[in-house]
Structure formats: structure tokens, C-alpha cells
Amino acid sequence: MATKGDLTKARLAESMLELIQSSGYSGTGLNAVIEHAAAPKGSIYFHYPDGKEGLGVAAVDLAAAQFGALIAEAVDAADSVPDAVRRAIDALATIVGGSDFRLGCPVSVVTLEMGAESERLREACAAAFSSWIGPTAALLESGGIGAEEARSLATVVVSTIEGAVIVSRAMKTTQPLSAAADVIAGLLEQRLPQDGGAR
């Protein structure tokens, strides 16, 4: 059972994640996190002794887990590999559009803002992207694509989705995500062996 301290620590990471999505990493101050999380003032340095950087890593790890869960749900509900990818992108489009394009991928935000400034944050972001590429590659392998090609294609899929999220936010339309879904699904249908996409 989670302790009160565990719940506070988790709440701080969740608040940091939400604020990074809406305000960016650099635009998120620790006082804003404390206020958003309704946490005691000294709680950040108690739970995250290295301050904002440690809290940023926790937020990136949380984002990785959340998108990983979204991928898993899409795979479970899909009847083919291309359908799984479409479902995952549709779920992302719902999140992005439903937030009036205020929310995007916090991992890409942290990468762009801090990747050259903090090796620890860069490594956390790299690990997050790898945690999405790995299951996507496994999904493609399950459809009959060889391991090396599956890894390469999975990297393209994740990179394309990340770019589409950014463009969707800039243009305030989910059309770039819909276009990405169409192109990725078409690409996978071409690459998958006959009936390899069926699940």
C-alpha cells in the first residue's frame, strides 16, 4: 500500500508532467509544481534532492509509461498491426485535440529544450523513446517482419508520430496526425507479409 509520502512524490511527478506539456520545461518553476500538486513547500527537495532535474526525469519516465500503456491498449484492441498503429495515433489525436492543442509529447519538449544542456535529461528522453520503439518493433515482428527491419520501421513510426504531434499543435488541427496514420498504415501494409498484419 502506498504511503502518504509515496502519493506526494507521485503527485509531484504528475504535476511536473502536466506543466511541461502546457508550459515547457524551462517555463515550469518549482513553485508552480508545488502549487499544482497542492504539496508542502519542502516536499520537492525531500522527494527529489536534486531538484528540478530529478523531477524532470521522473516526469519523462511517467510520460514513457503512459504512452507505453496507450500502445499496449491499442495493440490489445486491434485486429491487425496497421490497425494497432492507427488506434494509438487516434488516441493521441484525441488527447492533443481535446486539450485545445495545449498538450503534446513532454518527452519531445524536454529533448528540444534540455537535450544539449542536461545529459541526465537527454538520457531519460532517449530511454523513453526506446521504450516505445521496442514494443512497436516487437509488434511488427509478430506480423512477420524481420528483427532488423522491424526495429528500423519502428523508429520511423515513432519519429513520424512525434513530428506529427508537433505539427498538429502548431497548426491547431489533428490533420497531420491523421495523415501520419494513413501513411504509416499504408507503409506497414506494404512491408508486412501477406496476412502478416492479421492478429
Side-chain angles (χ1 to χ4, degrees):
M1 184 176 177
T3 65
K4 183 177 179 181
D6 291 336
L7 294 174
T8 299
K9 185 175 184 178
R11 198 163 67 247
L12 287 167
E14 289 164 3
S15 290
M16 182 68 172
L17 175 57
E18 288 184 33
L19 291 170
I20 287 173
Q21 287 180 295
S22 60
S23 303
Y25 180 87
S26 299
T28 298
L30 294 183
N31 287 335
V33 176
I34 290 169
E35 182 178 345
H36 188 277
K41 273 202 170 181
S43 58
I44 285 184
Y45 287 102
F46 177 79
H47 293 293
Y48 299 97
D50 43 359
K52 185 175 178 179
E53 186 179 54
L55 190 55
V57 169
V60 168
D61 290 346
L62 180 59
Q66 289 178 350
F67 188 52
L70 184 150
I71 294 172
E73 288 173 13
V75 170
D76 288 343
D79 55 17
S80 70
V81 173
D83 183 42
V85 174
R86 279 190 181 278
R87 285 175 181 269
I89 295 175
D90 285 347
L92 274 177
T94 298
I95 293 169
V96 173
S99 70
D100 194 27
F101 302 93
R102 289 175 60 250
L103 301 182
C105 176
V107 179
S108 62
V109 170
V110 174
T111 300
L112 292 171
E113 287 189 33
M114 300 302 298
E117 305 295 327
S118 166
E119 183 64 11
R120 189 175 173 202
L121 285 169
R122 186 202 64 75
E123 288 177 353
C125 292
F129 288 128
S130 291
S131 77
W132 304 335
I133 291 169
T136 304
L139 174 65
L140 298 178
E141 283 190 66
S142 74
I145 294 177
E148 187 174 344
E149 183 182 7
R151 181 77 185 185
S152 180
L153 277 173
T155 302
V156 169
V157 168
V158 171
S159 301
T160 301
I161 293 171
E162 285 295 308
V165 169
I166 293 170
V167 177
S168 289
R169 291 185 70 191
M171 301 180 78
K172 285 204 163 187
T173 171
T174 57
Q175 191 277 331
L177 279 162
S178 297
D182 290 340
V183 170
I184 292 170
L187 174 64
L188 296 183
E189 285 164 2
Q190 290 176 3
R191 296 295 185 94
L192 287 162
Q194 191 170 11
D195 296 328
R199 304 186 71 250

